[in-house]
Amino acid sequence: EVQLVESGGGLVQAGGSLRLSCEVSGFTWEKFDHYVIAWFRQVPGKAREGVAEIVPWSGSTDYLDSVKGRFTVSSDNDKNTVYLQMNNLKREDTAVYFCAATFGTQVVVELHEREFDTWGQGTQVTVSS
């Protein structure tokens, strides 16, 4: 069973940076390359919001409009790990960040939580003013 473990969250001042990591493990016959990995975030009382996604075998990426130019998603295929580099953080980026996976080889057109079936436990990101 595929498992996702996030790390790297914390408290940062507005304008600062954080890098989140998502380590993927538990493969049986499939490989890291067979998955699309995405980052979502959630604040209390709201639905999870898709932030970024990457197709590790091709490097294709997609982003939520509000994070374009500030966030970068990347993968280290040798380490089965996906990263989310977050720069110029804003207070509205405060949320629990989750990584998620779905079997596929192309970016998910609609970055919605229903398209992903495996989730990590989440990591808190808090941006202070």
Side-chain angles (χ1 to χ4, degrees):
E1 180 180 343
V2 173
Q3 295 180 327
L4 309 176
V5 178
E6 303 98 333
S7 60
L11 173 65
V12 63
Q13 287 189 328
S17 299
L18 281 175
R19 188 177 81 157
L20 305 182
S21 300
C22 174
E23 184 174 356
V24 187
S25 63
F27 302 110
T28 52
W29 62 270
E30 73 277 43
K31 299 179 181 179
F32 184 62
D33 288 355
H34 294 150
Y35 287 89
V36 179
I37 310 295
W39 288 96
F40 287 77
R41 62 188 181 188
Q42 187 172 28
V43 297
K46 293 189 176 182
R48 289 182 185 180
E49 176 182 54
V51 175
E53 63 177 319
I54 186 167
V55 182
W57 78 269
S58 68
S60 296
T61 59
D62 194 17
Y63 295 90
L64 179 70
D65 283 347
S66 64
V67 307
K68 287 180 180 178
R70 300 189 298 122
F71 290 12
T72 302
V73 61
S74 63
S75 68
D76 184 334
N77 295 1
D78 291 334
K79 296 181 179 180
N80 293 343
T81 300
V82 169
Y83 303 98
L84 184 67
Q85 177 67 43
M86 305 185 293
N87 298 328
N88 190 21
L89 282 160
K90 304 177 180 181
R91 287 194 65 185
E92 53 264 40
D93 295 318
T94 294
V96 178
Y97 283 71
F98 299 88
C99 64
T102 190
F103 202 73
T105 57
Q106 295 181 327
V107 292
V108 175
V109 174
E110 184 181 4
L111 195 53
H112 193 280
E113 61 179 311
R114 64 173 173 262
E115 302 294 336
F116 292 82
D117 44 41
T118 304
W119 293 81
Q121 81 288 351
T123 185
Q124 177 71 46
V125 172
T126 303
V127 184
S128 64
S129 59

